[in-house]
Amino acid sequence: MADLNPKSLNKLRVVDLRGLLSSRGLSTSGLKAELIKRLREAIRNSEEDDAEIPMQNPGELMDVDEENVEDDNQSTDEGDPLEDIQEAEQDDKSGEEDMIKADEEAKRRADEEARVKAEEDARLRAEEEARVKAEEDARLRAEEEARIKAEEEARLRAEQEARVKAEEEARLRAEEEARVKAEEDARLRAEEEARAKAEEEARLRVEEARVKAEEEARLRAEEEARVRAEEARQRAEEEARVKAEEEARVKAEEEARLRAEEEARVKSEEEARLIAEEEARVKAEEEARHRAEEEARAKAVEEARRRAQVEARAKAVEEARLRAEAEARAKRQRKKPG
């Protein structure tokens, strides 16, 4: 602590100043000038305390008193008890004085801290008031700027509306002029169209008369051509009718001839068919008769063969029966006694 020179504190940083104040239990808030002032006062107070006799701790005093009491107890046999009591009272009085001085020192430090705290509070209040005032000034400036901006916007809107109104009036005038001009143009076009229409109608009437004359001439020519064509058609029809009648007559005769030939052919074919059928029928009957005779003959032969077989079988059976009877009779005769 004695190494610090109050004149060299300006060279220290704020961090170093606050570290020194914190090590002494002092406030570390404030600007650098306040920190230097506070540290100089602490150094000056410390130098004054070093010049005085260091105050002992009350606990140490009590320890010393206890040691003295123990020494007194140990040396009771050696000294006078009254002197020991007086010495103890004197020691108690010096301890009380030391405690009073310690209380005064603590009170002085508390007053110093209260003063520093009051100064810090005053500084903070001043800063807060300055901040509030700055905010109020900023708010007023913002309101003034907003008002100026609103007035400027209103002026610009008024100018814009006036400009728009002037443009609208100019546009309406231009539209009115354009409408008048368009009406004049329309009237002129209507007159021109009416004149052109009249000329066109006159031209159409002339053209229609010409077309009508041409149509009448064409119709007369067509009528004459139609009459000539009708006469030619009638002549052609008459010739065609005569030719058709002749062709029909020839065709009828040809058809009659063909029918007669066809009928004769059919008749001859029918007669030939009937003859063939009759011959086939006769032949079939003859064949059937032959087959019947052949079958009857074969049947008679078969029946004769069967009868012969039956007779032969019956004859054989009869012969066998007779032989059996003869054998049986002969056997019975052999069995009779001599």
Side-chain angles (χ1 to χ4, degrees):
M1 186 181 300
D3 296 335
L4 291 175
N5 186 2
K7 295 181 179 180
S8 64
L9 295 178
N10 293 326
K11 299 179 181 180
L12 296 177
R13 296 179 301 172
V14 175
V15 177
D16 299 330
L17 294 172
R18 287 179 178 174
L20 294 173
L21 290 171
S22 177
S23 64
R24 288 169 171 75
L26 300 176
S27 176
T28 59
S29 61
L31 300 176
K32 184 176 181 180
E34 295 175 354
L35 298 176
I36 292 171
K37 181 179 179 182
R38 197 175 303 146
L39 188 56
R40 284 176 179 173
E41 291 177 357
I43 293 170
R44 187 166 51 252
N45 293 330
S46 177
E47 289 175 353
E48 291 176 358
D49 292 336
D50 291 336
E52 297 176 356
I53 297 173
M55 183 184 67
Q56 294 181 352
N57 192 352
E60 294 177 354
L61 293 175
M62 292 178 67
D63 293 337
V64 172
D65 292 339
E66 290 177 357
E67 291 176 357
N68 293 329
V69 170
E70 290 178 357
D71 293 337
D72 293 339
N73 291 330
Q74 291 177 359
S75 61
T76 302
D77 297 335
E78 297 177 357
D80 188 2
L82 183 58
E83 292 179 357
D84 294 335
I85 292 171
Q86 290 177 354
E87 290 178 358
E89 289 177 354
Q90 188 176 0
D91 292 335
D92 292 337
K93 187 181 292 185
S94 62
E96 289 177 359
E97 291 177 356
D98 292 336
M99 290 178 66
I100 290 169
K101 288 177 69 176
D103 292 337
E104 290 177 353
E105 181 66 21
K107 183 178 180 182
R108 187 180 64 79
R109 289 182 180 175
D111 293 339
E112 181 66 20
E113 291 178 357
R115 183 182 64 78
V116 171
K117 185 176 180 181
E119 291 176 355
E120 182 67 18
D121 293 338
R123 185 184 62 77
L124 292 175
R125 281 196 300 274
E127 291 179 354
E128 181 67 19
E129 291 174 356
R131 184 182 62 78
V132 171
K133 185 178 180 181
E135 291 178 354
E136 182 67 17
D137 293 339
R139 184 181 64 79
L140 293 174
R141 281 196 301 274
E143 291 178 354
E144 182 66 19
E145 291 175 356
R147 184 182 62 79
I148 293 171
K149 186 177 180 181
E151 292 176 354
E152 183 66 17
E153 290 177 352
R155 184 182 63 78
L156 292 174
R157 280 198 300 272
E159 292 178 355
Q160 180 69 14
E161 291 174 357
R163 184 177 61 78
V164 170
K165 185 176 180 181
E167 291 177 353
E168 182 68 17
E169 291 176 354
R171 185 182 63 80
L172 292 174
R173 282 196 300 273
E175 289 179 354
E176 182 66 19
E177 292 174 357
R179 184 181 62 78
V180 171
K181 185 178 180 181
E183 291 177 354
E184 183 66 18
D185 293 340
R187 184 181 63 78
L188 294 175
R189 280 197 301 273
E191 292 177 356
E192 182 66 21
E193 289 175 357
R195 184 180 61 78
K197 186 176 180 181
E199 293 177 354
E200 182 67 18
E201 289 177 353
R203 187 184 64 78
L204 290 174
R205 283 195 296 273
V206 173
E207 184 69 19
E208 186 177 351
R210 184 182 63 78
V211 170
K212 187 176 181 180
E214 291 177 354
E215 183 67 18
E216 290 176 354
R218 185 182 63 79
L219 291 174
R220 282 194 300 273
E222 289 179 354
E223 183 65 21
E224 292 174 357
R226 186 182 64 78
V227 170
R228 287 194 297 272
E230 183 67 21
E231 292 175 353
R233 185 182 63 78
Q234 290 177 357
R235 285 195 301 272
E237 288 178 354
E238 183 65 22
E239 292 175 357
R241 184 180 63 78
V242 172
K243 186 177 180 181
E245 290 176 354
E246 182 66 21
E247 290 177 354
R249 184 180 61 76
V250 172
K251 185 176 180 181
E253 292 176 354
E254 183 68 19
E255 289 177 353
R257 184 181 63 78
L258 292 174
R259 277 198 301 274
E261 291 177 355
E262 182 67 19
E263 289 174 356
R265 184 181 63 76
V266 170
K267 186 176 180 181
S268 61
E269 289 178 355
E270 183 67 19
E271 290 175 353
R273 184 181 64 77
L274 292 174
I275 292 168
E277 289 179 355
E278 182 65 20
E279 291 176 353
R281 184 180 63 78
V282 171
K283 186 177 180 180
E285 290 177 354
E286 184 68 20
E287 290 177 353
R289 185 176 62 78
H290 286 305
R291 280 197 300 274
E293 291 177 354
E294 184 67 24
E295 289 175 356
R297 186 178 61 78
K299 186 176 181 181
V301 172
E302 182 67 21
E303 289 178 354
R305 186 180 62 78
R306 288 180 179 176
R307 280 196 300 272
Q309 289 178 355
V310 170
E311 289 175 355
R313 187 168 57 251
K315 186 177 180 180
V317 170
E318 183 66 20
E319 289 176 353
R321 185 180 64 78
L322 291 174
R323 280 195 300 273
E325 289 178 355
E327 289 176 356
R329 192 168 48 252
K331 189 176 181 180
R332 282 194 302 270
Q333 289 176 0
R334 282 194 300 272
K335 287 182 179 180
K336 288 180 180 181

